[in-house]
Amino acid sequence: MSLLIDSFGRQHRDLRVSLTDRCNLRCSYCMPHDFSQWLPGEHLLSTDELMTVIEVAVDHGITGIRLTGGEPLLRPDVVDIVARIAALPTPPRIALTTNGLRLPALARPLREAGLERVNISLDTLDPERFRRLTYRDRHADVLAGIAAAQNAGLLPVKVNAVLMRDINEDEAVPMLRHALASGWSLRFIEQMPLDAQGTWDRSAMVTADDIFAMLSEQFDLAALPTRGSAPAEEFLVDGGPATVGIIASVSKPFCAACDRLRLTADGQVRNCLFAQDETDVRAVLRDPALEESSRRARVAELLGLSVRAKLPGHGINDPGFLQPARPMSAIGG
Ligand code: SAM
C-alpha cells in the first residue's frame, strides 16, 4: 500500500476526524452565540462511512486518529466509534479533543473502548469569565470533565487554552500554577483566523513570545529538544517533571513538519486547517455504482490526491492570505 507522502516529502500519519460540527458551547473566537449555519444533516457521514475512510487511511500509513468537532462527545455513538477504531487489525493511537462537558459520563467508557489520550479546552479559571466567553454557564462541568478524565486514567490530561488580549491574557500565570497543582499538562494556543465571524485581528493576538515572556517572569522554562511533528513547543517548568506547551501556529508556523490530514463531518478531506480546497470523499462513499473494493481504492486515491496537493505552508503570514470559508467548528480543530 502506498504511503501518504506529499510533494515536499512529508509523510502523513495523523488523521483528524470531525464527528459533528455541532457544539454545546459558543466560544466567541470560534462561532457567534447565535450561530445557525450547521451542516445539513443528510451531508454528515454515517459511522460506517467514516470508518471506511479511517480504515483506508490506516492502510496507507495513518498511525494516529484524533476525534474532534464541533464537540465530538455530542455524537451519540462516539464510544462505539472508538471501539471500532481500536478493533482494527493495525489499531492506530486514538485521541480526542473535547470541551469536556460530557466527560463525567463518558470518560470511563471511552477509555475502556480504547481511547488513549484526551485534550480538553479551557480558557479561563473564572466561572463568570467562562460564561461570557462561551455563552454557557458550564465552567464547573468542564472542571468535572477534566477530573473524570484523570480518574479514568486518560493521563496525562492535556488542557488547551487560547489567550486573548484584554480578555484572559492575565491568566497565563494563574492557569499554569493551577495546572501544576492539578496534574494537568497545559498548552497555550495562539488564536488563529478561523472564527465564523471573520473578526480575527493579528494585532490583538497574544503571541507565543508574549506567553513565554509572561510565564518566564514567574517560572523557569527550559525548552525541551525534539518536538517532531507535534504542534506544541514544550518547556520543562522549574526543572520538571511538569511541562508547559506553547502552540505558535501563527507567529512560528511548524508546517514543515506537518503530518496532519483532516476529514470533516460532511466527508471532505482537507490537507490543512487553512486550505481553500477540499477533496470530496462523500460522493465516492455514496456512489451506488461502486463495489466495496473499488470504493476503497477510490477513497485511497482521493486521500493521495489531497496529500499531494498540500502546499508547503498555511500562508497566514502571506499578504494574500484568505481565511477559509469554513469556521474551525466545521473543519474540526
Ligand atoms: N469542541 C472541542 C473542544 O472544545 O476542544 C473540539 C473542537 S474545538 C474547535 C478544538 C480546539 O480549537 C479548541 O481547543 C479551541 O479552543 C480551538 N479553537 C477554536 N477556534 C480557534 C481559533 N480561532 N484559534 C485557535 N484555536 C481555536
Side-chain angles (χ1 to χ4, degrees):
M1 289 284 180
S2 58
L3 298 172
L4 297 167
I5 300 178
D6 72 12
S7 46
F8 303 92
R10 295 170 293 195
Q11 183 181 337
H12 288 64
R13 296 187 174 89
D14 181 358
L15 178 66
R16 314 230 153 169
V17 178
S18 174
L19 298 186
T20 173
D21 61 322
R22 303 252 169 183
C23 193
N24 38 8
L25 294 180
R26 294 290 179 274
C27 301
S28 52
Y29 54 81
C30 193
M31 60 170 104
H33 66 94
D34 55 354
F35 188 73
S36 60
Q37 294 151 280
W38 308 112
L39 296 169
E42 67 276 17
H43 286 187
L44 301 184
L45 294 192
S46 69
T47 297
D48 285 343
E49 288 170 339
L50 69 86
M51 282 307 301
T52 298
V53 182
I54 291 172
E55 286 165 24
V56 171
V58 167
D59 282 346
H60 289 76
I62 291 291
T63 55
I65 302 285
R66 175 170 294 279
L67 302 175
T68 182
E71 174 45 45
L73 299 187
L74 290 181
R75 179 126 176 172
D77 61 348
V78 61
V79 175
D80 181 44
I81 291 172
V82 169
R84 286 181 65 174
I85 300 170
L88 293 178
T90 313
R93 286 171 287 107
I94 313 171
L96 178 112
T97 302
T98 173
N99 60 31
L101 295 181
R102 300 205 64 217
L103 278 176
L106 291 175
R108 207 162 282 283
L110 284 166
R111 172 85 174 132
E112 284 164 8
L115 184 70
E116 289 172 46
R117 287 177 303 135
V118 71
N119 288 11
I120 302 172
S121 307
L122 179 66
D123 301 324
T124 177
L125 296 173
D126 176 356
E128 175 51 25
R129 198 175 258 186
F130 182 91
R131 194 186 58 73
R132 283 201 305 273
L133 259 171
T134 66
Y135 284 86
R136 300 289 185 272
D137 194 8
R138 311 273 322 252
H139 189 258
D141 296 325
V142 180
L143 295 184
I146 296 174
Q150 289 177 313
N151 291 336
L154 291 163
L155 300 172
V157 170
K158 289 189 178 170
V159 174
N160 291 345
V162 177
L163 293 182
M164 287 156 287
R165 182 97 44 228
D166 301 328
I167 295 181
N168 63 345
E169 66 180 326
D170 56 334
E171 295 204 52
V173 167
M175 280 199 86
L176 181 51
R177 274 198 211 297
H178 191 93
L180 294 174
S182 311
W184 306 349
S185 174
L186 183 65
R187 289 127 44 98
F188 293 103
I189 311 178
E190 283 183 346
Q191 189 183 356
M192 296 179 278
L194 286 170
D195 54 317
Q197 309 90 307
T199 54
W200 180 82
D201 174 4
R202 176 182 301 270
S203 61
M205 192 185 82
V206 181
T207 67
D209 285 348
D210 297 334
I211 297 165
F212 182 82
M214 289 188 280
L215 297 179
S216 295
E217 283 182 16
Q218 301 292 327
F219 304 95
D220 177 43
L221 300 184
L224 286 173
T226 57
R227 73 191 243 194
S229 60
E233 194 175 357
E234 293 281 343
F235 300 90
L236 218 50
V237 182
D238 291 339
T243 59
V244 65
I246 303 181
I247 304 184
S249 322
V250 178
S251 65
K252 296 174 198 167
F254 35 87
C255 306
C258 180
D259 68 349
R260 283 175 283 286
L261 202 57
R262 293 184 146 80
L263 176 67
T264 66
D266 59 345
Q268 308 301 305
V269 176
R270 295 181 63 91
N271 55 26
C272 174
L273 266 179
F274 299 96
Q276 291 295 331
D277 298 322
E278 301 182 335
T279 305
D280 182 18
V281 288
R282 188 181 70 230
V284 168
L285 292 165
R286 295 188 179 172
D287 183 347
L290 287 173
E291 291 194 4
E292 194 52 22
S293 60
S294 319
R295 187 184 316 287
R296 284 172 185 260
R298 187 79 188 107
V299 169
E301 207 178 302
L302 291 176
L303 291 177
L305 275 177
S306 175
V307 165
R308 283 193 297 283
K310 183 159 171 155
L311 297 174
H314 58 39
I316 299 179
N317 300 306
D318 298 347
F321 173 74
L322 281 178
Q323 185 167 335
R326 280 183 192 259
M328 179 73 126
S329 57
I331 295 174

